Amino acid sequence: MLISRKFSMLLIGLLLLTVSGELFATPREEAIKSGFIYNFARYSQGKWFNASHQHNYNICSFNLDFVVTATKTLLHMKVESRPVNLILLTKDNVDLTSCNTLFISKADTDIWNTMEEKQHFPNMMLVGEFDGFLASGGHINFFIVSGKIRFEVAPKRLRKSGIKMSSKVLRLGRVYEERAQ
Amino acid sequence: MEITRAMNSLRSKHHHYFAMFMLVFSSQAIFFNQAHAESEAVFDDLPSLDFDSLMAADIQVTSAMKRLQNKSDTAASIYVLTHNEIIQSGVTSVAQALTLVPGMQVRKLDNNQWAITSRSTAGRHSSKLLVMIDGQSIYNPGFAGVYWEAINVPLYDIDRIEVIRGQGGLLWGSNATNGVVNIITKHTMDTRDNLVQVATGTKQDYKADFRVGGDLSNYSSFRVSGGIEKSDAANKSDRELSANDDGKKQNINARGDINISDDLSLLAQFWYNNIDMGQNLRLADLNTNLATAVVDQYSLDYLQLMTRLDYRLSSDSNQMLQASFSSQRGDQAYYRDRFLTTDIDYQMNTLIKNTQFDWGINYRYTDVFIEESDYFSNISNVNHYDHFGGFVQFQFNLVPDKFKLIVGNRSERNSFTGWEHQPMVRFLWTPASRHSIWGAVSQGVRIPSFLEYNNMARIHSAYGIRTDIVGSNDIDAEKSVSKELGYRYSLSDVEVDVSLFHTKARNVLVIEPNVNDTFTYITYNFLSEGELTTYGGEATVHWRPYQRLSTELGYSFTSYQYDLPEGTEEAIGYDSSMRQIMAKANFELTNDHQFSVIYRIEDGEAYDTRDYAVLDVSWRWQVNEMLTFSLTGNNLLYGKHIEYGNSGEAYTIATYIEPSYLAQITATF
């Protein structure tokens, strides 16, 4: 009885600890996400990236931590023989013209919400990591289940942006269906 | 410089303060304020950037679940059987999948029953091997082993099988002195499709399985799977009877993964297996006491319920609470048992700067019912077994990325032998980035089984005299001290893994024969007074010369030597040695056609059989996105053979293991 009471206390303690706030991404989490983003590009085809006209495959983000981690993780990686390059965006200088992938981190939700043209980014893969990202026009959204990273995809919206993602990748993700995609 | 600034910026975000509410959690508050201990090692520890590795990667270095963190970072002899290898090899059961692991002793008694262990002689009723499904032990306290034929986990739902050879998994539980087999099933988020699989073959009338998977709200998901299988008997038995090892299996499983938040998840799982199989037994004739062969039809029911709460406390700390219940019921001609087991486990893992601190507590209660029969009776009125205790482990990164020292202990009190302790010390030295050397000294404990502690079993006698094996309440736990040394070399396409071990066990189970004054009654009394020395090693070389070709060569050697008190005999195995050579190749001819070849030579006298070799070949054809066809041949080239002739350890009469073929179609949609 004593033992079962102690275990009950442990369980209660565990549940009370769930009131903690959300945790921001660790470098390891960001490194894994950057690996996914690299693979999304590798396993996609379409006019969003033309290797014969671009010297790099550019992944853009407003998040300095992500850019630093991804730069190191994706060092020497290539998409269609073009080196992967990370570009740090700032609130004051949002020049998306050279971006092939735009990653919106959880910390940059406010910036995303102020970007009026987000529904109409042509030739750009939009990747995020927060609730409502797909509903607000994103293409791919990361989420975490049991300590592992998974993703959901809006394939119709990807196609509208000129991106055809491999069916093998789509099968790994959760397909987001929206009436007015 | 930029990276350092970025890291510092990141650290400032991670100051979480929690109220302390009980002592066990008070220590955690210290950890929450720890700055991110992850350093450059973050990048070294990362998997390769292929999709499969990324999908399998944990976002934390620590992990609360009982499983390996990183193969290259583990100071133990380990082997990970991946989902792809299991599927490509064409195996049809978990037991058969273990034939793919170099160094595992996997012997078939007949078409249904298996004897499996590592670094020792395997027995049908003795293994000293801890077997877990998703962290839940399926160890049978009745005979200290596992009903392998009752493990019906659908192979397509298995993420991987982690095998630790030797005492490397002691902290995961008791009775792991020979090793740990940890079957980890896929998260339901990764099985949200539907699947139908049908198979038939020369030894299998039919096998039909299904899976239905889907989404629930808030990134939660579920699956339900099940199957039915009917197999044929062998053509030839070892003894005078015709083989009788046909069988029927059915199972239904369900799992739900509820994602309460990014940091909190709940797993609920249910398994039910029922098997009904034939076997030939060697029993005592109740009139003459001589050996007589008996045809038997036996059944097993196995039900498991498990729930687990995983909670990520911070980027460097997590905890797990798991509660499970299992019911096992077996009905054989000579033995009927029923076990109801409740397990509760709590585990916490934390990284404090360069030190990983793991601790946990556990409790198990088992209700036991063994029906008295002509062959089995209870010695005393013992109808339950329980144990409780905990473990603690520190992993010190003494020289970051170079030298790690691991110190730990598991202490548990069990209702048979009282408190038992399993201390261990390990090191992992990485002198260069591709080379690592590890070593360990550990003490393992094997708790006596219920049969050894409380039962009397009637066996046949060559003299026609009533003979019983008699258990004892005075029996002690077997304690084994193991010294291990290993080396790993890892390049992108070549991996070398070598392990050596020397284990000396005391309080080993032996049998003392006694004859009464009138020569009408013989007893074999269990005593825990033997000593046993085992030594040997395993070596594996994995080479991937081309992207489409993967090869592996394995060699293992085990020597087994008893030191018996005068007047006693071995209870499990006898002085012997075993050698195994294994060669494996997986070849992708095209994206749609894959071939798997496994050649295994088993040598040694431990099982009282001839040496034998087996060749297994499988062809897998991805017909289209939805459909896969596979054709597998087992035990090819060398004809039928006996794999288990050690009649002193099993009532079951072995049958000849014959060449067999299986065709299988899998549809996913």
Side-chain angles (χ1 to χ4, degrees):
Chain A
M1 277 305 288
L2 182 65
I3 289 165
S4 56
R5 198 160 59 238
K6 284 180 178 171
F7 273 105
S8 304
M9 289 173 71
L10 273 175
L11 179 61
I12 294 164
L14 184 70
L15 293 173
L16 283 180
L17 281 167
T18 62
V19 298
S20 66
E22 259 187 309
L23 302 170
F24 282 90
T26 63
R28 182 179 170 84
E29 184 179 331
E30 286 168 338
I32 296 169
K33 284 176 178 169
S34 67
F36 272 107
I37 290 171
Y38 161 66
N39 277 291
F40 294 147
R42 274 177 72 204
Y43 290 100
S44 294
Q45 293 179 323
K47 61 183 181 183
W48 107 103
F49 176 58
N50 188 339
S52 56
H53 289 98
Q54 285 190 261
H55 297 297
N56 298 308
Y57 184 89
N58 294 320
I59 300 173
C60 304
S61 174
F62 293 95
N63 190 311
L64 172 65
D65 300 326
F66 173 79
V67 170
V68 171
T69 304
T71 300
K72 188 147 195 182
T73 306
L74 303 179
L75 193 68
H76 308 309
M77 294 297 155
K78 291 182 178 177
V79 174
E80 292 188 31
S81 305
R82 297 298 181 215
V84 174
N85 183 42
L86 270 293
I87 295 176
L88 179 65
L89 304 172
T90 63
K91 282 182 185 175
D92 304 327
N93 182 21
V94 186
D95 179 10
L96 302 175
T97 50
S98 57
C99 298
N100 302 111
T101 293
L102 175 63
F103 174 64
I104 305 291
S105 73
K106 206 176 289 184
D108 304 318
T109 313
D110 291 344
I111 301 175
W112 171 254
N113 289 335
T114 59
M115 294 169 77
E116 290 176 2
E117 72 276 29
K118 61 197 173 195
Q119 299 284 352
H120 310 290
F121 285 126
N123 303 332
M124 196 184 304
M125 193 181 283
L126 304 173
V127 184
E129 58 168 1
F130 52 89
D131 287 346
F133 180 69
L134 296 188
S136 60
H139 298 157
I140 303 169
N141 187 46
F142 290 122
F143 58 94
I144 295 170
V145 287
S146 299
K148 290 184 164 53
I149 292 168
R150 294 294 180 264
F151 58 92
E152 53 189 341
V153 191
K156 289 178 188 168
R157 204 172 289 147
L158 268 174
R159 276 199 297 276
K160 275 186 189 171
S161 291
I163 304 167
K164 189 187 176 202
M165 188 170 271
S166 152
S167 59
K168 283 186 179 176
V169 178
L170 288 176
R171 271 208 302 272
L172 292 174
R174 175 175 158 144
V175 173
Y176 175 81
E177 297 290 352
E178 191 190 40
R179 280 181 213 145
Q181 256 191 58
Chain B
M1 196 64 192
E2 192 179 28
I3 290 172
T4 310
R5 199 170 63 245
M7 294 297 180
N8 286 336
S9 156
L10 188 70
R11 283 171 187 151
S12 67
K13 298 175 185 170
H14 290 265
H15 287 259
H16 296 274
Y17 294 91
F18 292 81
M20 291 183 288
F21 114 105
M22 55 192 293
L23 184 61
V24 290
F25 289 109
S26 61
S27 57
Q28 293 168 11
I30 301 164
F31 310 140
F32 299 155
N33 286 325
Q34 293 292 337
H36 280 275
E38 295 167 288
S39 61
E40 298 299 302
V42 165
F43 305 101
D44 298 336
D45 290 343
L46 270 183
S48 63
L49 293 182
D50 64 79
F51 251 121
D52 288 342
S53 302
L54 292 168
M55 297 287 283
D58 288 300
I59 58 173
Q60 285 181 289
V61 179
T62 58
S63 171
M65 197 174 138
K66 294 175 179 178
R67 55 186 161 86
L68 297 173
Q69 306 298 321
N70 187 338
K71 186 179 168 187
S72 62
D73 215 21
T74 306
S77 176
I78 59 171
Y79 190 94
V80 179
L81 209 50
T82 63
H83 172 80
N84 283 346
E85 189 176 356
I86 293 168
I87 298 301
Q88 285 172 13
S89 63
V91 298
T92 56
S93 67
V94 168
Q96 194 188 359
L98 293 174
T99 62
L100 305 171
V101 180
M104 285 300 282
Q105 293 286 320
V106 184
R107 300 276 175 148
K108 281 188 93 169
L109 277 74
D110 61 19
N111 273 337
N112 305 313
Q113 299 182 27
W114 302 77
I116 300 176
T117 194
S118 71
R119 296 186 171 180
S120 178
T121 309
R124 158 87 169 135
H125 297 119
S126 59
S127 67
K128 306 180 193 175
L129 193 69
L130 175 66
V131 183
M132 297 187 293
I133 301 175
D134 292 325
Q136 181 181 9
S137 170
I138 52 170
Y139 179 83
N140 184 312
F143 58 85
V146 169
Y147 283 126
W148 288 98
E149 64 272 28
I151 301 177
N152 268 335
V153 185
L155 298 184
Y156 45 74
D157 284 345
I158 292 179
D159 183 60
R160 65 191 184 280
I161 301 176
E162 298 174 342
V163 178
I164 298 182
R165 294 165 293 213
Q167 298 189 163
L170 286 178
L171 293 178
W172 293 359
S174 293
N175 302 305
T177 50
N178 284 350
V180 175
V181 172
N182 194 14
I183 302 157
I184 297 171
T185 64
K186 290 187 168 189
H187 193 283
T188 51
M189 183 55 68
D190 301 327
T191 56
R192 288 169 300 120
D193 54 359
N194 302 319
L195 180 149
V196 175
Q197 190 173 71
V198 290
T200 186
T202 54
K203 285 286 160 215
Q204 205 132 35
D205 274 356
Y206 60 82
K207 186 173 188 300
D209 298 275
F210 77 94
R211 175 178 74 209
V212 176
D215 287 314
L216 299 169
S217 62
N218 192 32
Y219 304 127
S220 301
S221 45
F222 76 96
R223 71 165 169 261
V224 177
S225 55
I228 186 164
E229 175 182 350
K230 188 173 183 309
S231 57
D232 292 329
N235 290 317
K236 189 179 175 186
S237 174
D238 186 24
R239 300 295 160 107
E240 62 270 30
L241 293 174
S242 299
N244 180 42
D245 51 348
D246 58 339
K248 196 171 178 183
K249 295 183 187 179
Q250 43 206 349
N251 69 88
I252 182 90
N253 318 301
R255 170 172 167 163
D257 288 284
I258 310 301
N259 203 45
I260 301 165
S261 72
D262 277 3
D263 306 315
L264 182 64
S265 59
L266 175 72
L267 158 66
Q269 193 157 256
F270 161 85
W271 304 91
Y272 174 71
N273 295 313
N274 169 265
I275 64 173
D276 185 4
M277 292 176 164
Q279 63 178 348
N280 288 339
L281 298 170
R282 187 185 307 99
L283 298 178
D285 184 291
L286 296 175
N287 297 315
T288 67
N289 293 307
L290 296 170
T292 182
V294 174
V295 174
D296 181 34
Q297 197 71 22
Y298 76 104
S299 66
L300 297 172
D301 282 298
Y302 203 148
L303 181 141
Q304 285 179 268
L305 295 166
M306 189 261 271
T307 58
R308 185 170 66 220
L309 208 51
D310 274 297
Y311 181 52
R312 189 163 65 123
L313 290 159
S314 73
S315 58
D316 300 324
S317 182
N318 52 10
Q319 58 182 344
M320 172 213 68
L321 181 68
Q322 179 171 303
S324 57
F325 170 80
S326 70
S327 163
Q328 298 182 47
R329 186 196 60 79
D331 189 351
Q332 304 183 61
Y334 64 102
Y335 178 66
R336 290 180 194 87
D337 64 7
R338 196 184 68 210
F339 298 97
L340 299 173
T341 302
T342 305
D343 276 297
I344 301 176
D345 263 289
Y346 171 81
Q347 188 177 328
M348 181 179 173
N349 307 71
T350 303
L351 195 64
I352 314 165
K353 291 191 175 174
N354 283 324
T355 301
Q356 183 169 333
F357 172 53
D358 309 315
W359 67 276
I361 48 178
N362 63 287
Y363 174 67
R364 164 173 276 212
Y365 183 89
T366 303
D367 256 327
V368 182
F369 175 75
I370 295 179
E371 188 177 312
E372 298 217 342
S373 67
D374 291 330
Y375 295 99
F376 272 84
S377 56
N378 295 315
I379 293 171
S380 52
N381 189 27
V382 179
N383 56 14
H384 80 277
Y385 165 83
D386 65 76
H387 73 230
F388 63 88
F391 79 91
V392 61
Q393 175 177 270
F394 292 91
Q395 299 187 52
F396 301 103
N397 264 315
L398 295 182
V399 182
D401 305 328
K402 287 283 182 193
F403 191 84
K404 185 189 283 186
L405 183 70
I406 303 145
V407 183
N409 177 55
R410 168 175 285 274
S411 291
E412 284 182 339
R413 188 189 187 287
N414 72 82
S415 55
F416 288 176
T417 65
W419 279 101
E420 303 292 351
H421 308 285
Q422 301 184 94
M424 65 94 185
V425 58
R426 297 176 178 274
F427 74 85
L428 181 71
W429 177 37
T430 311
S433 62
R434 303 188 196 291
H435 303 266
S436 57
I437 295 166
W438 62 270
V441 180
S442 56
Q443 174 173 279
V445 170
R446 175 188 180 269
I447 312 299
S449 72
F450 204 83
L451 296 181
E452 294 155 15
Y453 186 81
N454 189 53
N455 281 118
M456 194 156 72
R458 186 170 179 175
I459 59 171
H460 62 83
S461 161
Y463 313 107
I465 299 171
R466 166 74 187 256
T467 305
D468 286 334
I469 295 179
V470 183
S472 167
N473 290 175
D474 296 325
I475 212 162
D476 289 325
E478 179 184 308
K479 295 183 174 68
S480 51
V481 175
S482 190
K483 296 160 197 157
E484 298 172 88
L485 192 64
Y487 167 74
R488 285 194 194 102
Y489 172 77
S490 179
L491 201 63
S492 59
D493 50 4
V494 178
E495 278 180 34
V496 178
D497 198 334
V498 180
S499 313
L500 300 171
F501 69 93
H502 180 280
T503 304
K504 198 165 178 66
R506 66 182 198 279
N507 299 345
V508 175
L509 199 68
V510 294
I511 287 171
E512 181 187 46
N514 285 301
V515 186
N516 68 353
D517 295 340
T518 54
F519 293 97
T520 53
Y521 185 43
I522 299 172
T523 56
Y524 288 103
N525 299 313
F526 276 134
L527 302 173
S528 50
E529 293 180 4
E531 290 189 356
L532 176 65
T533 303
T534 51
Y535 62 88
E538 301 98 17
T540 310
V541 179
H542 184 89
W543 181 37
R544 196 179 184 114
Y546 310 104
Q547 188 63 29
R548 291 183 179 276
L549 177 63
S550 168
T551 64
E552 191 170 281
L553 191 63
Y555 173 82
S556 69
F557 172 79
T558 303
S559 176
Y560 198 75
Q561 292 176 352
Y562 268 101
D563 184 2
L564 298 167
E566 197 176 328
T568 63
E569 298 173 7
E570 306 93 337
I572 300 167
Y574 45 82
D575 290 359
S576 56
S577 60
M578 297 167 279
R579 275 190 306 170
Q580 181 195 75
I581 298 171
M582 184 185 289
K584 298 196 290 188
N586 280 299
F587 178 58
E588 286 181 31
L589 184 65
T590 66
N591 287 339
D592 301 328
H593 293 273
Q594 297 170 333
F595 294 88
S596 164
V597 181
I598 300 135
Y599 183 68
R600 189 161 51 96
I601 301 171
E602 298 283 357
D603 171 285
E605 63 277 12
Y607 301 95
D608 199 17
T609 62
R610 290 182 179 178
D611 300 341
Y612 65 89
V614 293
L615 176 71
D616 300 330
V617 179
S618 187
W619 164 50
R620 188 174 156 80
W621 175 27
Q622 187 77 44
V623 181
N624 55 39
E625 274 197 6
M626 197 181 104
L627 216 58
T628 308
F629 172 78
S630 69
L631 187 62
T632 305
N634 293 120
N635 297 317
L636 307 180
L637 295 184
Y638 298 98
K640 55 181 178 286
H641 60 272
I642 290 279
E643 296 191 1
Y644 197 93
N646 192 1
S647 58
E649 280 183 38
Y651 288 88
T652 309
I653 297 174
T655 60
Y656 279 79
I657 307 306
E658 299 160 334
S660 63
Y661 300 91
L662 184 83
Q664 183 170 275
I665 296 173
T666 308
T668 49
F669 49 94

